[in-house]
Amino acid sequence: MKRKLNKKNMHNIKDIRDNIDNFIQLISKRNVKLDKNNIIELDQKNRKLIKEKENLEKEKKEISKTKNKALFQKSKKISLEINKINELQLETKKKLDNLLSSIPNIPLNDVPEGKDDNSNEEIEKKGTIRNFEFKPKPHYELGTSLDMMDFELASKTTGSRFVFIKNKFALLERALSNFMLDNHINKNGYTEISPPLMASENTMFGTGQLPKFETDQFEVKLDDKNDRKFLIPTAEVILTNMVKDRILSKKDLPMRLVASTPCFRKEAGSYGKDTKGMIRQHQFYKVELVSIVEPQNCVQELERMTKCATGVLDLLKLPYRKIVLSTGDMGFSAEKTYDIEVWLPSENKYREISSCSSCSSFQARRMKARYKNDKKETLYVATLNGSGLAVGRALIAILENYQEEDGSIVVPDVLKPYMNNLEKISNN
RNA sequence: GGAGAGAUGGCUGAGCGGUUGAAAGCACCGGUCUUGAAAACCGGCAAAGGGGCAACUCUUUCCUGGGUUCGAAUCCCAGUCUCUCCGCCA
């Protein structure tokens, strides 16, 4: 289905109109400057043209009702006039839409203001950082010497930023994925989904990957040039869009979905960043959580979701910290984001392993995802997404935090049932 | 890849040139009845946009885009998607 992307806005012009100064001020927190006069002008012109058009349409309608042949010629003339005005109106509307769709979501009040990640704030630190009696090795050294991780082979078959995971590491990866899934399904009330790994252009637009971040996406080459499909950069895209173009009833909410899928990212703009090891790959597994809720429940759902994510780290006994992203570091669609960072001994620092965001109704507007509330009003839903967790990075964290001096890896207790009760991964 | 059938409101489904924004049913909401519930009966129930303080009112919308017509859910053309049968295939 081909759709005009700019038909939809992430911001409602009605709300902006009501208090434009306030709106501009809120958006300025995200380092985006808006041209007030331009917005007002386009909005007024648009409405003026709509009015003109509607008056003519009414006149025309009445003529056809009378079935008076004498007036038929006039009706034809009116049609031409309508066409002219309509063209102008659509053009104006398009300009307005383009302008509005370049504006990111409004941050919540309690989000720290700042230009970049320097203004992020640490909220919580948990778990015990292990005191190593030897120099902890990075995951890629552990993996290579056990012959369970092969980067050279991957670059031979595919290219850079890919990896072969072999033998017990592959089992560990699978165990992690299954462990997390079971946890979210059985304890946290999420429903498991096995979704398509490709998404249409319109779907990518819904969650905000398109049109602005097209260069980060892998596009699949298709015979039909009008048909565009992309490998999902995260299951968020496909899970969130499950409610696209729907009007849900209240009893469908909250909807909580979980999927473990490969994710594909170009990592454009990350050249030279994390080139060693599997921290930053073009392909990685991730267990993704998505919640569809009533807008007023956004904040509490974000807290809940973040707890679901950190709960996994608690069970794996991995040390981590939780930070809240500043207005300058948040993603385009988010109103508030928590990042969870896991401790990596080889780097002697915390690295992102999960990101949980509330997007309020921002994505829902693009997707036209709505529900009927108690008063039977049709409102946009709110969407949230979070990693629960990034499997690739969880694997790294296990390897580094559970390594022994001889290069073997102790299997965390909670994973043993998923690994035929294996105690330790070693060369033997 | 070949051959057909279809796309209508939250859902199912009628309508196939003129008060049709759209029958009927389900779901949902309100009421009567009931100790309470169910059943039965009565009533309500689309979205987007414009105008109005408001009650309200106007316009658009029956997959999308074009065309025919004074007038299109209904006719014509193009496209998208779905289903059935055959072929191919994990």
Side-chain angles (χ1 to χ4, degrees):
Chain A
M1 185 177 11
K2 234 175 103 183
R3 238 169 230 285
K4 279 182 186 154
L5 299 182
N6 47 29
K7 256 186 192 168
K8 293 160 266 177
N9 309 319
M10 52 213 69
H11 291 290
N12 192 341
I13 183 68
K14 275 182 178 172
D15 300 338
I16 297 174
R17 201 185 290 149
D18 285 346
N19 197 342
I20 189 159
D21 291 313
N22 182 239
F23 179 78
I24 287 177
Q25 200 268 323
L26 288 170
I27 290 298
S28 72
K29 284 188 187 178
R30 303 206 54 169
N31 310 312
V32 174
K33 273 194 188 133
L34 296 175
D35 182 347
K36 178 178 165 180
N37 290 334
N38 193 220
I39 295 174
I40 293 175
E41 213 172 279
L42 284 171
D43 179 38
Q44 284 180 347
K45 187 175 174 191
N46 181 235
R47 284 189 291 160
K48 187 183 135 239
L49 290 167
I50 287 173
K51 226 194 238 174
E52 286 175 20
K53 186 171 78 170
E54 287 185 351
N55 286 338
L56 289 172
E57 273 164 350
K58 196 182 172 191
E59 200 177 332
K60 189 179 155 185
K61 210 174 180 178
E62 264 149 21
I63 290 176
S64 89
K65 260 186 195 162
T66 63
K67 300 183 195 174
N68 181 350
K69 281 189 180 169
L71 293 169
F72 286 179
Q73 201 54 33
K74 189 178 177 195
S75 178
K76 262 195 156 173
K77 262 181 158 170
I78 291 173
S79 292
L80 290 173
E81 188 67 21
I82 288 175
N83 280 343
K84 261 166 66 184
I85 295 173
N86 190 237
E87 217 166 286
L88 245 170
Q89 195 265 100
L90 288 179
E91 195 185 303
T92 311
K93 182 75 171 33
K94 193 177 166 185
K95 274 187 198 162
L96 185 63
D97 281 351
N98 283 150
L99 204 150
L100 293 176
S101 57
S102 68
I103 304 172
N105 202 356
I106 296 172
L108 282 177
N109 280 331
D110 59 349
V111 173
E113 280 185 54
K115 278 192 167 41
D116 50 37
D117 56 351
N118 289 314
S119 306
N120 295 348
E121 284 171 15
E122 183 179 302
I123 290 185
E124 186 186 5
K125 230 178 217 172
K126 227 177 154 190
T128 322
I129 291 173
R130 185 175 149 199
N131 208 352
F132 285 90
E133 283 156 15
F134 55 94
K135 191 175 188 294
K137 296 190 185 79
H139 67 278
Y140 46 88
E141 274 178 31
L142 293 162
T144 313
S145 62
L146 284 168
D147 190 27
M148 296 187 190
M149 214 177 247
D150 199 329
F151 296 94
E152 283 179 34
L153 183 57
S155 70
K156 202 158 77 178
T157 61
T158 309
S160 66
R161 289 200 194 278
F162 287 92
V163 66
F164 276 87
I165 309 279
K166 303 194 282 190
N167 203 340
K168 293 291 182 283
F169 275 19
L171 175 61
L172 176 58
E173 184 183 52
R174 185 152 53 91
L176 273 167
S177 178
N178 286 338
F179 163 68
M180 292 179 202
L181 278 173
D182 283 350
N183 200 57
H184 295 310
I185 295 161
N186 300 323
K187 290 191 194 154
N188 299 331
Y190 283 82
T191 303
E192 182 174 9
I193 307 288
S194 176
L197 302 180
M198 290 189 211
S200 67
E201 188 178 13
N202 180 252
T203 294
M204 296 286 278
F205 177 85
T207 31
Q209 277 70 28
L210 293 182
K212 212 174 170 187
F213 306 101
E214 185 176 333
T215 51
D216 293 333
Q217 316 303 331
F218 279 111
E219 182 168 0
V220 178
K221 194 180 172 193
L222 298 172
D223 294 335
D224 182 356
K225 289 272 164 53
N226 292 319
D227 190 14
R228 300 185 74 190
K229 290 194 197 330
F230 299 82
L231 294 174
I232 54 169
T234 158
E236 169 204 341
V237 172
I238 203 89
L239 294 182
T240 308
N241 273 283
M242 283 172 72
V243 296
K244 171 168 86 172
D245 284 322
R246 286 181 64 188
I247 300 180
L248 303 159
S249 56
K250 207 202 149 185
K251 63 172 189 280
D252 297 326
L253 305 175
M255 195 182 276
R256 298 193 175 102
L257 309 164
V258 61
S260 176
T261 70
C263 304
F264 303 91
R265 296 184 184 177
K266 269 195 182 161
E267 296 301 334
S270 304
Y271 298 111
K273 232 187 207 175
D274 301 314
T275 46
K276 270 217 156 158
M278 53 177 291
I279 281 273
R280 195 175 297 276
Q281 301 273 287
H282 286 315
Q283 178 193 324
F284 57 93
Y285 277 94
K286 182 157 62 73
V287 172
E288 182 75 1
L289 306 171
V290 161
S291 297
I292 315 292
V293 301
E294 292 188 80
Q296 68 270 22
N297 296 335
C298 259
V299 172
Q300 72 181 70
E301 184 70 13
L302 178 62
E303 299 301 324
R304 184 188 190 276
M305 178 181 274
T306 310
K307 274 211 179 69
C308 293
T310 54
V312 173
L313 289 168
D314 288 330
L315 288 167
L316 291 171
K317 298 199 164 76
L318 290 168
Y320 64 90
R321 64 172 189 163
K322 177 176 153 190
I323 59 178
V324 58
L325 298 190
S326 78
T327 53
D329 200 28
M330 278 197 304
F332 191 69
S333 309
E335 62 169 354
K336 182 173 184 175
T337 298
Y338 291 120
D339 268 12
I340 296 154
E341 300 181 331
V342 71
W343 179 256
L344 289 190
S346 76
E347 296 192 14
N348 203 41
K349 68 178 179 192
Y350 291 97
R351 293 297 303 252
E352 179 185 340
I353 194 167
S354 170
S355 188
C356 300
S357 301
S358 165
C359 299
S360 56
S361 296
F362 193 80
Q363 294 177 325
R365 282 205 199 89
R366 302 177 144 233
M367 295 189 300
K368 284 191 172 171
R370 293 163 291 177
Y371 80 107
K372 287 203 190 283
N373 70 0
D374 288 330
K375 292 178 194 159
K376 294 193 61 199
E377 297 162 317
T378 307
L379 301 172
Y380 287 107
V381 297
T383 61
L384 298 96
N385 63 79
S387 356
L389 310 161
V391 176
R393 291 201 176 166
L395 179 72
I396 293 172
I398 298 285
L399 300 182
E400 296 202 1
N401 282 281
Y402 280 85
Q403 63 178 296
E404 299 285 279
E405 189 160 15
D406 63 359
S408 61
I409 314 293
V410 173
V411 176
D413 288 340
V414 289
L415 293 182
K416 283 174 188 163
Y418 291 88
M419 298 181 70
N420 311 311
N421 294 311
L422 185 69
E423 296 277 339
K424 192 186 253 194
I425 300 173
S426 63
N427 269 323
N428 319 315

